[in-house]
Amino acid sequence: QFGAEFRRFSLDRYKPGKFEDFYKLILHIHHIANLEVMIGYADVHGDLLPINNDDNFFKAVSSAHPLLRVFIQRQDEVDYSNFGTNTLSRKKKALVTLRNDNLRRRPHINISMPHDFRPVSSIIDVDILPETHRRVRLYRHGCEKPLGFYIRDGTSVRVTPHGLEKVPGIFISRMVPGGLAESTGLLAVNDEVLEVNGIEVAGKTLDQVTDMMIANSHNLIITVKPANQRNNIIRSSRMSGSSGQSTDSTASHHSLPTPHVLQNFHPDEMESDEEADIVIEGGLEPQHIPKLHSLTSSSLSRINGSSLSHRLQRDLVLNNSSGRESNGSIHKLLSSLKTDPRHSLVIPRGGIEEDGTVITL
Amino acid sequence: MRRFLRPGHDPVRERLKRDLFQFNKTVEHGFPHQPSALGYSPFLRLMAIGTRSGAIKLYGAPGVEFMGLHEENNTVMQIHFIPDQCQLVTLLDDNSLHLWSLKQHGGTSELREEHRFTLKGPPGSPPSATQVTAVLPHSSREVLYLGTESGNIFVVELPSFRVLEDRTITPEAVLQWIPEDNCNRRSCELVEALREHPKNPDQILIGYSRGLIVLWDLQNNKATHHFLGSQQLENLYWQRDGSKFISCHYDGSYSQWPVSSDNRQSEPLENTVPYGPFPCKAISKIYWQTTKNGLPYIIFQGGMPRASYGDRHSISVIHGSQQTAFDFTSRVIDFFIIFSSDPAAEFDDPSALVVLAEEELVVIDLKSAGWPAVHPPYLASLHCSAITCSHHVSNIPLKLWERIISAGSKQNIHYSSMPWPIDGGTNIAPDPPQRDLLLTGHEDGTVRFWDASGVCLHLLYKLSTVRVFLTDADPNDNMNTLGEDEWPPLRKVGTFDPYSDDPRLGIQKIYLCKYSGYLAVAGTAGQVLVMELNDEDAEHVVDHAEADLLQDQEGYRWKGHEKLKTRDGPVRFEAGFQPFVLVQCQPPAVVTSLALHSEWRLVAFGTSHGFGLFDHQQKRLVFVKCTLHPSDQLALEGPLSRVKSLKKSLRQSFRRIRRSRVSSRKRRGGGGNASEVQEANAKFDQDVLQEMELAPVQRKIEARSAEDSFTGFVRTLYFADTFLRDSSRHCPSLWAGTNGGTVYAFCLRVPPAERRMDEPVRAEQAKEIQLMHRAPVVGILVLDGRSTPLPEPLEVAHDLSKSPDMQGSHQLLVVSEEQFKVFTLPKVSSKLKLKLTALEGCRVRKVTVANFGSCKTDDYSENDLAVLTNLGDIQIISLPFLKLQIRYPCIRKEDVSGIASCVFTKYGQGFYLISPSEFERFSLSTKWLVEPRCIVDMPEVTSNNHVHKPGTENAARKS
């Protein structure tokens, strides 16, 4: 059924309506009402992008010229196929700019196998930080690798109104070979840690900083003063071009001649890094298909700093009372929920960046 | 919108916060850690205890206590009250002298340090020249005589500490008056004792270490008498009339010397080795007390036969044919006798012997037959067996309070009925507002019930769980059964007994329902006991059940301790709390959480393997739930903690031995030696420090994963009647939180009271919440429709709480070590949260709901969360909006045991251990403050019978 089946139908380009309706329409047209499917479309560059909410549906419709090619795939195949978020573009060795990503929505929350490629780190806030500092975001979700670094106490020299002053500081003391931190190439031994997720570490003890990092380990943003200042960003050359991209593990294994810059970021993606608690209703053995649905954020406005507090709490609710058919992969996932966090975590993907100081609630 | 208001922006709230919250450390309960000196003022009837950390504590009548701390934090070596003054002098081991005084200020007395002073010798003189060994505050209150290692006696003016150089008594001056053939310069080295003549303040008795004793006339600067002891001198004591004095010696002997005007060099009247003829240990202090019937009380410390009893810490009392050697559980620091302080009285007529041992205070009633011990109203040895947990219950109903006291009084019949003899000062603190109980669980399987209502933490009742089990210890092993002809006549006194027969008996969790009198107690070997208060002795069988928490998990082997063996058949229990149900967890791991619901008659318990629910009405296990992660080998194989704790205790005991050696050397045997030891110690410390600096501390940054060990460890259990399934029907529920950040919720069906025995209690798992940050869940709480925490079981039935609002929607608060998170009920969706760790790098160690009343108006109070973090900070967080109200630093973050031991009360107070034997009490509330408020008045001095008056002075000289 999903091998090759083509249908043509028309939509009002300027009043496309809601995604839900479109989804139902698709299901109806293809007579696959009882299946969970993933809808995608090919954009102007020929990249496969998903349609799963009103916004990207609208974008898809408006950008269609003249025909919107829509691809429909079974939900469970999506995870293994080339239909990732931005993975398709990677495979095609095409550069997906984040302008496009800007409108890409995260697909239905998937509890899925790790993808072949995914962002593991990024440099953010280049425009607001001093050139000597670097703000690094580590994506831990769904990553097989341990974060893999150690911190220690040390002394650092600061410029103060009274001249140079020696102050205690926190430094990266060791990298675990093969760990996430090492593989990004963005952190190095003896880098001084200045902030953890927007909170200054000055005046905090090693143990406090350790706890802060672990508490933020699902989405760790550390601002460091690199020990090696030679790789710093040359700002003028990078200011205008917002063609930042996230580094993936393979790329970052080679040292970084030019750091990767990310500027645009999406509130929804920001939110997706919020951890979501899992609530299982009733007993542990899911007899029925648990319906997976995400409560998507209604806020599309770019947010920075304090407006993050508007973020909605989102919890993944696995509800066994909805009478859907059993789905093999999800069943498997549920049973593995308790055993492996890496598989059970809700994994956000895609390049993410942010402006300003993050205030985490 | 309220959520987004930043704290500090609302002036009304800021003002209210000032009316509600205030941090004070109010009083230290228990026994001072490492006491090092004791002093007593018969004039003020106050006792002073100094410690190795430089603290000085004064105690009088119950409720009268003062505390001071020397800035130097050095060991207090000696304490001397200035006669007839509210002043005392302390000598520290750095050879500094400190003058403290009790001054009235704002209606209460306060202990203040007035002056400090270090004796300085002439330039170039060795330090020993001014090393103070003996202190004598003269009855004139004007001068202090300081005996030194060099044999010089310096005279220092009070309170200025000005050295009166012309009055120094040098060894040379003393030797002038002594025939040269039996004395030389060395005879006058090291002044061991200085004693003022009881009738004539112009004469002082000087005892030198090598045995020479000189009676010195201060007026004429000459030795009127000298006495040559053959043995090294330890101490001196004047008899009341001044006609004789007693010296005690290093070889375990004491001598009685006559002082008569005609005989200038006398022989001892009597020289006795009380525990001879074999070599004996030194008698370090002696009292000779006269009585009306002519037979004196001779009371001395030590003197035991060196070979067989040299390790005993004893004080012997001899009165005629009666002789008892009180055998103390720890080293004797010092002791004193309370006797008639009226100078006009003819006899000493001793009433009590007060002994400060290293771990406890023992007071012996010398007036009653058999010399029974007196039950002290304060200075309780909390650590007589190591404290393993504590539990506080506020506002005890009078009925339960009286029943506990009556059960306790039956245990205390062997104590003397004598009123507490140290009764100086007046307690002016208002009566405590309510009756509070502090329950401490101990390593030996006992639970102690303390009256924590006021300043004096007082033992009410002691409960032992040992009887339920078969242990190696023989319960009939009575230390006090000594035959008549036993020699020496040792009698064990004191309660300090740090050696547990079986560590499995240790109490880990306590839960008392103050309305029903049900008590649940859980221990180290997975034992859970449910008890009921019974006013009579009873003999009954304890129902026994086993809870297999592993259920059908295969292939695991428990390598920890075995479960406790139970006693078959009926067991006799004394009046008090009597167990009727015993549940033993399998594997027998430490019980890590416990909850009791006295209304539903259910008890829930959790270990590192899972949790269970037991119906103690029907005596039936309702269900068990295994929380184990299959990869968690550590939890399965048994407690490493046991190995660890054994190692730790060994290490500690070695350290204790080492320390006591060091200190004893410091105490005795010359300054050269002591300072060497100190130097060596300091050097060692430095070396250690350097080593630490060479290898920098580093911390691994790694996310928590499900594979971390002890994720299944059940941290918290909570009963709630709430909306778990749907929003229309509420039902009883049980909530459990684990170390791995999982919360389990079970729906319970408890049959109505009339069918309670007929139908079984049913449970069904309703929800499982996995917190994504996976931090240990330390607290679970349900807030009702008014956002008020649900009341305790039976609280509403006793009209002590409003019934919860079941109309509005309930909320669930889950507190993990890292976050506070509020969820809606019954649909568990996250509503708001406070990420504490991400913001501040601190973790939640303890959390309780506390009620804070305003100090301004009686009708305002609110519920907040009192939180203790791993940094030792206390934070108050508002409910239900989770806003940080205020933060106070409370415990040093290095003080891990202090943080672990902290308990909060329901009204914003708390306790934590500052040493194994002391609770610090603190208060977060402006309204509930328990602190000592007391006055020490100068007793009236009647001039006609006081020796220092010029008239009587002359009279005394004539006599």
Side-chain angles (χ1 to χ4, degrees), chain B residues 309-370:
Chain B
Y309 299 96
D311 56 342
R312 300 301 179 101
H313 316 288
S314 73
I315 289 180
S316 302
V317 180
I318 302 171
H319 178 62
S321 60
Q322 290 177 64
Q323 178 166 357
T324 300
F326 293 102
D327 185 7
F328 294 91
T329 54
S330 52
R331 194 165 62 88
V332 173
I333 304 295
D334 201 354
F335 71 101
F336 62 84
I337 310 290
I338 297 175
F339 55 88
S340 167
S341 59
D342 179 4
E346 202 177 336
F347 302 103
D348 291 318
D349 212 12
S351 55
L353 160 68
V354 180
V355 182
L356 178 68
E358 197 155 38
E359 308 289 357
E360 63 187 326
L361 182 81
V362 177
V363 177
I364 307 285
D365 174 4
L366 294 175
K367 293 225 147 170
S368 308

Side-chain angles (χ1 to χ4, degrees), chain B residues 421-453:
Chain B
I422 304 163
D423 54 2
T426 319
N427 180 10
I428 56 166
D431 279 341
Q434 56 186 30
R435 290 167 296 271
D436 286 358
L437 265 184
L438 181 67
L439 278 67
T440 53
H442 298 263
E443 202 179 22
D444 62 352
T446 57
V447 178
R448 284 171 169 78
F449 288 61
W450 305 92
D451 174 359
S453 324

Side-chain angles (χ1 to χ4, degrees), chain A residues 140 146-153 173-174 199 204-208 210-217 274-282 284 309 313 315 338-339 341 344-345 360-361, chain B residues 3-4 625 629 697-707 744 765-774 818-819 821 823 828-831 833 835 837-841 843 870-871 893:
Chain A
R140 152 88 202 141
L147 281 170
F149 67 101
Y150 290 76
I151 56 171
R152 64 168 170 88
D153 281 318
S173 63
R174 191 153 82 82
I199 311 245
K204 294 208 156 56
T205 64
L206 185 65
D207 288 332
Q208 270 175 286
T210 306
D211 284 338
M212 287 166 70
M213 288 190 174
I214 291 173
N216 288 305
S217 58
E274 272 298 304
E275 71 262 50
D277 303 326
I278 298 174
V279 180
I280 300 173
E281 300 275 344
L284 276 179
S309 59
Q313 305 295 319
D315 293 278
K338 298 185 56 173
T339 59
S344 64
L345 290 174
T360 333
L361 280 186
Chain B
R3 275 180 59 196
F4 309 120
K625 165 83 185 167
H629 189 276
V697 194
Q698 51 178 10
R699 293 278 182 275
K700 190 174 188 182
I701 307 300
E702 210 47 80
R704 271 178 236 272
S705 83
E707 275 132 71
Y744 301 93
Q765 180 161 350
K767 285 198 166 60
E768 183 178 330
I769 305 163
Q770 173 62 57
L771 298 177
M772 262 311 140
H773 62 290
R774 292 189 179 273
E818 294 185 352
Q819 297 185 5
K821 210 161 183 180
F823 298 90
V828 182
S829 58
S830 171
K831 207 172 162 196
K833 64 180 156 184
K835 282 177 148 187
T837 308
L839 282 173
E840 301 184 25
R843 276 188 283 188
N870 66 330
L871 303 179
K893 66 168 182 285

Side-chain angles (χ1 to χ4, degrees), chain B residues 371-408:
Chain B
W371 298 332
V374 185
H375 193 51
Y378 44 67
L379 283 166
S381 283
L382 299 169
H383 62 317
C384 40
S385 169
I387 293 180
T388 42
C389 65
S390 31
H391 176 71
H392 186 273
V393 192
S394 301
N395 218 350
I396 304 284
L398 183 62
K399 186 87 197 301
L400 178 67
W401 188 259
E402 283 170 346
R403 290 176 74 191
I404 291 172
I405 289 179
S406 116

